[in-house]
Amino acid sequence: MPLTPQTDGDGQGGGRRRGDGDRGRRRRRVVRWTASVVTLALAGTATAGYLYYEHLNGNIKKETLNIGDSKDRATKTKANAAGQTALNILLIGSDARDTAENQKLGGAKDIGTAARADVQMLLHVSADRTNMSVVSMPRDTLVSIPKCTDSKTGKVYAATADTMTNASLERGGPGCTVATWEKLTDIHIDHFMMVDFSGVVSMADAIGGVPVCVDANIYSHTSTGHGSGLKLKKGTTAVKGKQALQWLRTRYGFEDGSDIARTKAQHMYMNSMVRQLRSNATLSNPDKLLGLAETATKALTVDDGLGTVTKLYDLSKELKKVPTNRITMTTMPWVYSSDGNRVLPKPTDADKLWRLVREDIALDGKDKKKTTTATTKVTDKAAADDKIAVQVQNGTRSSGESAVAGRAAAVTALLVGKGFTEAAADASALLSEDRTLVRYPSADLAGDAQRVAKALGIPTSQVKKSTDVSGVTLVVGADWRSGSKYTADDDTTPASASALNASDTKACMHVDPDYTW
């Protein structure tokens, strides 16, 4: 039976009865850091207090991680050379009107309208835990949503194309939003965390407010009743409760009034919350911690893999290793749809951003330079160019674009023109590779593979030994969709991703002059 909180002799919320001994101490350790983790998973440094394990576990709501069609799922993330594995967590803000409180906060007339995923952020924690990247997708983005099967009712939702991404949540729950992200990005998602309107309000109150900045007085309200109702004076204000929710939902009044501007404001809020939790001395107050832990666990819906305080605690230990100045907020690069009312992933830039996340490359550009030398020592010289048999495959298909027809044949002709007369196109293979690769099956062909790469200007770091090929094989990737000269892709974050560092304390939202007072 769960224990009730008691007070120790020093007046602190001790969290165990006399005689509980090691079990009580263990439970206190287990719930440490929980408050910050469940507060949208970014803080990772505040102690959650002394609430009891069973009680907190009972607060947490759980759903299936991925309910999409298996063919649309991304391959599980592989460990690096040191045995470390990156973490990908999808953060979802639901607009559910399933309670009277959510109905009131969301401005809905009816309870029970289908919930949508109005906020979606992919949090990527590097394998070595030195950096964290967050990528937001605007809710107005048109995507292909895969077939999803509700794990509770068994209802099947057919796949759809050109559908707003926030509609994924109403197709069986957060597991369909996860499936949609995996289909679009080919990034395996390990966990999700979802919070609704009332959860945002209650957590902002429990934290004690989150400082945000506007460059002019703002009142988000129109004569026709549109707007979040946010009303702030110029400068920095610590928002809490309903005002915090208004900040996160404001479109009318921020910059150009678009969903993109709202995403930018959400990034500023999240970064400020990280700093607030990591520096706020009041979080050492047991009473405040009790309230924060209670509030946060009640506000959350997570996948089964995060469904206990112990698992959240383990995750928080990993998150707290990342320094604030290595957290980077970005927005998926986008372009307007043909009618101008929605947005689409920007083909080249969005694909590049997804690749950087897949390859665990820090979006702040502060990664240590990776070696560009081949890992296999070449002991034999390469054969003459006209004696090297090369199979050329088309790997130009990406998450945002179909394969370029005839690309393998075009590059084969290029090789033949350079003297590799044994090169041949494999028309049967339509692969998907972010980068152009030269693969070889055994050490005695390493020299030949490197010779092919050198002739085309492909870095030796993209020459890989692979048991999936029977001879030297050139896979033309999505980074070489056209042209006769290969240019190695750089690893810089696209400017269109609008990167913002979490340690930036000067960020301030620009107010549309039509919404000042």
Side-chain angles (χ1 to χ4, degrees), residues 38 40 61 91-103 105-106 115-119 169 193-204 241 244-245 248-249 269 295-302:
V38 295
L40 291 183
K61 297 177 287 294
L91 309 179
I92 303 170
S94 162
D95 71 350
R97 274 81 167 181
D98 53 354
T99 66
E101 184 178 6
N102 278 333
Q103 177 196 14
L105 291 169
R116 295 196 167 203
D118 272 6
V119 178
L169 186 61
M193 291 180 167
M194 183 170 70
V195 65
D196 59 17
F197 291 152
S198 61
V200 170
V201 169
S202 59
M203 285 194 292
L245 179 63
L248 294 170
R249 300 189 70 205
Y269 180 94
T295 296
T297 52
K298 282 183 176 179
L300 272 184
T301 300
V302 300

Side-chain angles (χ1 to χ4, degrees), residues 122-158:
L122 179 63
L123 185 156
H124 172 84
V125 189
S126 67
D128 60 9
R129 306 302 188 251
T130 62
N131 66 88
M132 186 186 300
S133 301
V134 181
V135 184
S136 290
M137 186 191 302
R139 72 165 190 172
D140 292 343
T141 305
L142 296 178
V143 297
S144 294
I145 300 179
K147 182 179 77 174
C148 291
T149 304
D150 192 313
S151 58
K152 294 179 180 178
T153 67
K155 181 176 180 179
V156 177
Y157 296 85

Side-chain angles (χ1 to χ4, degrees), residues 324-506:
T324 303
N325 64 359
R326 294 300 311 278
I327 299 174
T328 305
M329 293 279 185
T330 61
T331 300
M332 178 199 74
W334 56 275
V335 293
Y336 281 113
S337 59
S338 57
D339 63 6
N341 293 323
R342 300 287 183 260
V343 300
L344 299 166
K346 189 175 183 178
T348 301
D349 286 4
D351 286 343
K352 182 179 182 181
L353 192 64
W354 304 140
R355 177 184 67 78
L356 293 177
V357 174
R358 278 194 301 270
E359 296 182 7
D360 198 22
I361 297 171
L363 299 187
D364 61 6
K366 296 179 181 178
D367 268 346
K368 293 181 179 179
K369 292 293 183 181
K370 292 179 171 60
T371 178
T372 58
T373 59
T375 56
T376 302
K377 185 178 180 180
V378 178
T379 56
D380 296 323
K381 291 183 178 180
D385 291 353
D386 62 355
K387 300 298 182 184
I388 299 176
V390 186
Q391 186 178 61
V392 183
Q393 298 178 335
N394 187 343
T396 57
R397 188 180 74 240
S398 69
S399 59
E401 296 178 297
S402 57
V404 177
R407 190 60 183 148
V411 176
T412 297
L414 177 63
L415 276 172
V416 171
K418 290 180 177 291
F420 293 86
T421 55
E422 294 296 311
D426 178 6
S428 65
L430 287 178
L431 308 177
S432 179
E433 289 289 346
D434 293 321
R435 295 196 190 198
T436 297
L437 301 172
V438 181
R439 291 172 170 156
Y440 62 95
S442 54
D444 60 319
L445 291 176
D448 290 356
Q450 289 193 26
R451 172 60 195 142
V452 171
K454 183 177 181 180
L456 295 173
I458 300 169
T460 53
S461 60
Q462 292 166 226
V463 179
K464 307 286 185 181
K465 185 176 180 181
S466 171
T467 56
D468 294 333
V469 296
S470 58
V472 176
T473 303
L474 169 64
V475 184
V476 184
D479 60 345
W480 196 14
R481 293 176 60 85
S482 63
S484 59
K485 182 178 180 181
Y486 178 76
T487 303
D489 198 4
D490 67 87
D491 291 337
T492 58
T493 300
S496 55
S498 303
L500 178 66
N501 190 275
S503 63
D504 184 352
T505 59
K506 296 180 180 180

